[in-house]
């Protein structure tokens, strides 16, 4: 635009060959920019909030088209088809305190007759309330004793469960939960304490959070040691800053827990460190190169690449391009939607015929992607090559009940850390990175298992005060689920059997063998 303005002010374009050349270069640049396809959350990994108004309108129109016939536009509030989320009545034995109310007399207001009490028919309601003074200020005194013989002072022994900390275990656990679950900064925690009638410096609050991190350190390290023994792990990573330097937060999601680690690298070295040579299960992930390299170095590892990431690539072809690319993308989207539909039906109710159709749909998708690809197309050929070389790594979920075709488990688990990163701007030191990883692990694992992170951190702090071992995050957990194919078969052998026996013909005898 600057070239256009300069040319206009100087009297036009035709008088100087240089100006004509500049205009031609500008027009060519505009053609390149306008010819590029628009990327949005539907056709790439961009977040929905980055979409412009046109993209958001298209997304709303697509949601309207997909809405079942007879269903009105979505509105706030409860939906008629949803079960109401009623709060169960509080049992008298579970109440911390009861306040009964009585009539002034025992005469019936209707007939003036004498009434008798019926406690079982009492009308009750529940109220949640804080104590009048939420934070107690306790003064501990170790009695002093003077020895007249040796002229020295002695004091009473310090109790094991009381140390000279400003915050007690419950308040420390509350601050930890506000920090991790509420993404509150230390300054905001300081303001919160002031509102509750307690004053503390930023350094004291930060040290208290560090003690909570130390208290859960051993249970965290236990998860680090156990993750390599899992049969199914979903992994994802997201950038985070440490004092302005780029670092990476990794998440490992298993059936029992969710593990966070923060490292400087985004490469396969982190997978080598955490999973190592002992891991021989299914690794769910996106198509990032670190996961491909790790499985190449460890043949016992079975990949399950996210089909939603592949679906976004296909939608990009179907929406932003025309001709052969659009035809290729639309047909593959149709075949992939069929795979998802059959998979969901199979999860709801196991059926041999549905399993057979799911096998066939997977191979139909592969065959079309490889055989019908537009010749030498730079956008379509990588998809065809990817499915030709790594077809089994996209559809291993057919053989395992506990494996999902997407990487949603890991992406949902790391979402809270991403939100926290935008609020807190990352961490400032190695100690802060360790604390972030540990406390995020406690929060996510407790949430996954239906436990209270407040209670768990409190128990760990009490154990640390008493010099005892912290409770494990794995206590009481038993593994659930098993592969469709017999677990005694090596994953490579299973897939080779699947490819050899089911590539063309499917019989009930074969499928019954797989379900034994």
């Amino acid at each position: 635009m600057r070239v256009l303005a300069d040319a206009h002010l100087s009297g036009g374009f035709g008088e100087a060959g240089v100006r004509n050349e500049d205009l031609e270069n500008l027009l060519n640049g505009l053609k390149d920019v306008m010819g590029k396809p628009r990327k949005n959350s539907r056709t790439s990994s961009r977040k929905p909030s980055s979409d412009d108004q046109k993209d958001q309108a298209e997304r709303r129109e697509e949601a309207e088209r997909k809405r079942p016939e007879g269903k009105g536009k979505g509105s706030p509030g409860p939906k008629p088809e949803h079960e109401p989320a009623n709060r169960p009545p509080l049992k008298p034995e579970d109440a911390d305190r009861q306040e009964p109310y009585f009539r002034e007399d025992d005469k019936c207001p209707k007939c003036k007759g004498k009434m008798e009490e019926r406690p079982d028919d009492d009308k009750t309601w529940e109220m949640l309330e804080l104590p009048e003074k939420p934070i107690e200020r306790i003064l501990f005194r170790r009695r002093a004793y003077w020895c007249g013989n040796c002229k020295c002072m002695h004091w009473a022994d310090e109790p094991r469960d009381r140390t000279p900390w400003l915050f007690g275990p419950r308040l420390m656990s509350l601050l930890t939960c506000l920090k991790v679950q509420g993404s509150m900064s230390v300054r905001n925690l300081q303001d919160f304490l002031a509102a509750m009638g307690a004053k503390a410096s930023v350094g004291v609050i930060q040290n208290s959070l560090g003690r909570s991190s130390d208290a859960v350190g051993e249970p965290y390290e236990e998860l680090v040691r156990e993750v390599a023994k899992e049969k199914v792990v979903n992994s994802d990573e997201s950038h985070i800053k440490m004092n302005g330097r780029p670092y990476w937060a990794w998440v490992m999601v298993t059936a029992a827990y969710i593990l966070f680690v923060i490292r400087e690298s985004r490469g396969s070295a982190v997978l080598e460190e955490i999973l190592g040579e002992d891991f021989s299960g299914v690794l769910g992930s996106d198509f990032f190169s670190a996961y491909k390299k790790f499985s190449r170095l460890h043949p016992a590892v079975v990949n399950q690449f996210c089909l939603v990431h592949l679906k976004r690539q296909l939608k990009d072809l179907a929406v932003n391009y025309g001709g052969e690319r659009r035809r290729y993308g639309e047909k593959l989207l149709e075949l992939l939607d069929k795979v998802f539909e059959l998979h969901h039906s199979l999860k709801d109710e196991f059926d041999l015929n549905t399993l057979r159709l799911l096998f066939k749909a997977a191979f139909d998708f592969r065959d079309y992607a490889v055989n019908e690809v537009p010749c030498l197309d730079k956008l379509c050929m990588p998809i065809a090559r990817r499915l030709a070389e790594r077809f089994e790594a996209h559809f291993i979920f057919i053989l395992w009940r506990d494996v999902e075709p997407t990487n949603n488990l890991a992406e949902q688990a790391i979402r809270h850390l991403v939100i926290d990163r935008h609020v807190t701007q990352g961490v400032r030191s190695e100690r802060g990175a360790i604390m972030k990883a540990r406390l995020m692990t406690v929060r996510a694992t407790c949430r996954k298992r239906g436990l209270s992170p407040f209670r768990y951190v409190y128990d760990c702090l009490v154990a640390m005060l008493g010099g005892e071992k912290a409770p494990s995050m794995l206590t009481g957990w038993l593994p659930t689920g098993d592969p469709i194919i017999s677990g005694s078969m090596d994953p490579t052998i299973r897939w080779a059997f699947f490819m050899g026996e089911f590539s063309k013909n499917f019989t009930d005898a074969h499928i019954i063998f797989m379900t034994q």
Side-chain angles (χ1 to χ4, degrees):
M1 299 304 294
R2 187 176 194 128
V3 175
L4 289 174
D6 292 344
H8 176 71
L9 293 175
S10 61
F13 297 105
E15 298 178 2
V18 176
R19 295 179 196 150
N20 288 333
E21 182 180 352
D22 291 341
L23 177 61
E24 184 177 355
N25 292 335
L26 176 63
L27 292 176
N28 290 333
L30 289 174
K31 288 180 181 179
D32 292 339
V33 172
M34 297 180 67
K36 291 182 179 180
R38 291 190 310 121
K39 297 289 186 179
N40 54 35
S41 61
R42 296 188 304 154
T43 59
S44 68
S45 296
R46 293 183 178 181
K47 54 187 179 182
S49 59
S50 66
D51 292 346
D52 56 25
Q53 293 184 354
K54 183 177 180 180
D55 292 328
Q56 295 176 11
E58 291 177 355
R59 199 164 64 242
R60 287 194 295 268
E61 291 176 2
E62 183 179 0
E64 287 290 339
R65 290 195 301 269
K66 291 183 177 180
R67 181 174 289 116
E69 187 176 354
K71 297 284 185 180
K73 183 178 179 180
S75 59
K79 304 299 182 290
E81 64 273 12
H82 289 178
E83 290 291 333
N86 294 326
R87 186 180 184 87
L90 178 64
K91 298 178 181 179
E93 58 270 19
D94 295 335
D96 298 315
R97 179 164 58 93
Q98 298 189 42
E99 291 188 5
Y101 293 91
F102 302 93
R103 291 184 61 87
E104 295 180 356
D105 54 40
D106 58 354
K107 292 183 179 181
C108 175
K110 186 175 182 180
C111 67
K112 305 302 181 182
K114 187 175 181 178
M115 299 184 298
E116 60 181 14
E117 293 185 5
R118 295 284 182 89
D120 294 339
D121 296 326
D122 288 352
K123 288 187 175 182
T124 63
W125 70 91
E126 178 186 357
M127 177 183 289
L128 304 178
E129 180 61 291
L130 289 171
E132 184 176 355
K133 191 174 183 182
I135 299 179
E136 291 182 306
R137 300 180 67 182
I138 306 172
L139 179 63
F140 294 98
R141 302 185 63 170
R142 295 171 59 194
R143 186 64 66 185
Y145 299 90
W146 173 258
C147 178
N149 294 329
C150 59
K151 307 299 182 183
C152 62
M153 189 75 73
H154 299 276
W155 288 269
D157 294 337
E158 182 177 316
R160 291 185 59 187
D161 59 345
R162 291 288 186 266
T163 59
W165 295 346
L166 180 59
F167 299 146
R170 289 189 183 88
L171 183 55
M172 206 178 300
S173 179
L174 175 62
L175 294 177
T176 302
C177 290
L178 292 175
K179 173 65 176 175
V180 180
Q181 295 192 242
S183 300
M184 293 179 65
S185 66
V186 178
R187 292 285 183 185
N188 287 338
L189 291 177
Q190 187 183 35
D191 295 340
F192 169 78
L193 288 173
M196 294 291 104
K199 294 183 179 180
S201 67
V202 170
V204 169
I205 297 174
Q206 189 66 50
N207 289 337
S208 298
L209 297 174
R211 291 190 185 101
S212 296
S213 172
D214 295 339
V216 301
E218 180 54 36
Y220 173 83
E221 294 300 328
E222 181 187 12
L223 299 188
V224 174
R225 295 190 297 268
E226 291 292 325
V227 69
K229 303 176 185 178
E230 298 293 334
K231 293 300 182 184
V232 181
V233 175
N234 284 80
S235 179
D236 198 14
E237 71 289 330
S238 180
H239 65 89
I240 187 172
K241 288 186 177 180
M242 180 189 294
N243 205 19
R245 292 177 293 147
Y247 270 63
W248 292 91
W250 291 73
V251 62
M252 309 281 178
V253 181
T254 72
Y257 53 86
I258 299 175
L259 175 67
F260 285 88
V261 295
I262 297 179
R263 297 291 185 269
E264 190 172 7
S265 170
R266 196 192 180 189
S268 60
V270 179
L271 297 172
E272 292 281 355
E273 174 194 350
I274 304 300
L275 299 178
E277 298 181 355
D278 297 333
F279 183 69
S280 59
V282 179
L283 179 59
S285 66
D286 52 26
F287 207 60
F288 182 52
S289 58
Y291 302 105
K292 293 185 286 185
K293 180 180 179 181
F294 180 71
S295 61
R296 186 173 66 251
L297 296 176
H298 302 279
V301 176
V302 180
N303 287 110
Q304 171 58 62
F305 294 122
C306 180
L307 289 184
V308 169
H309 285 74
L310 177 60
K311 187 175 182 178
R312 291 196 193 107
Q313 287 184 268
L314 299 177
K315 189 169 286 188
D316 182 32
L317 295 177
V319 172
N320 292 324
Y321 298 92
E324 291 297 313
R325 287 178 177 176
R326 171 166 292 187
R327 174 193 61 78
Y328 186 72
E330 289 178 346
K331 182 61 178 179
L332 287 180
L333 279 175
E334 178 185 341
L335 294 173
L336 189 58
D337 287 340
K338 184 65 175 178
V339 171
F340 279 116
E341 179 184 347
L342 291 170
H343 175 64
H344 292 154
S345 299
L346 196 63
K347 289 186 66 176
D348 295 336
E349 183 179 357
F350 181 80
D351 179 70
L352 293 178
N353 186 55
T354 305
L355 182 60
R356 188 188 304 112
L357 293 175
L358 180 57
F359 289 148
K360 186 176 184 304
F363 281 106
D364 289 344
F365 178 79
R366 191 275 310 268
D367 292 342
Y368 187 89
V370 174
N371 299 329
E372 303 297 330
V373 58
C375 183
L376 300 180
D377 187 278
K378 65 178 183 179
L379 295 181
C380 299
M381 285 298 293
I383 297 176
R385 188 181 305 111
R386 168 178 172 178
L387 289 169
E389 297 175 354
R390 297 179 180 270
F391 171 57
E392 70 280 2
H394 292 81
F395 292 93
I396 201 71
F397 68 91
I398 299 177
L399 307 180
W400 290 76
R401 287 195 183 97
D402 292 342
V403 176
E404 292 292 329
T406 69
N407 199 33
N408 288 348
L409 292 175
E411 293 184 356
Q412 291 169 0
I414 207 170
R415 184 176 300 161
H416 183 76
L417 186 141
V418 173
I419 296 173
D420 180 86
R421 179 191 71 206
H422 287 292
V423 176
T424 62
Q425 306 301 313
V427 296
R428 297 296 300 272
S429 63
E430 289 284 350
R431 182 172 181 244
I434 294 173
M435 182 178 72
K436 176 82 73 176
R438 288 176 176 176
L439 298 182
M440 281 288 177
T441 298
V442 170
R443 174 206 167 268
T445 300
C446 289
R447 187 172 184 268
K448 184 180 183 67
R449 303 189 58 196
L451 304 175
S452 168
F454 170 82
R455 185 67 191 182
Y456 181 77
V457 174
Y458 170 76
D459 290 342
C460 291
L461 286 168
V462 170
M464 184 172 69
L465 285 172
E468 301 175 356
K469 184 178 180 181
S472 171
M473 281 187 267
L474 299 177
T475 303
W477 177 79
L478 293 175
T480 59
D482 56 342
I484 294 180
I485 292 184
S486 172
S488 61
M489 296 177 63
D490 182 83
T492 307
I493 299 175
R494 278 201 306 270
W495 185 257
F497 176 81
F498 171 55
M499 293 288 288
E501 295 294 327
F502 299 103
S503 58
K504 298 298 180 184
N505 300 314
F506 308 98
T507 67
D508 290 345
H510 291 149
I511 298 177
I512 289 174
F513 171 79
M514 295 178 64
T515 59
Q516 289 177 348

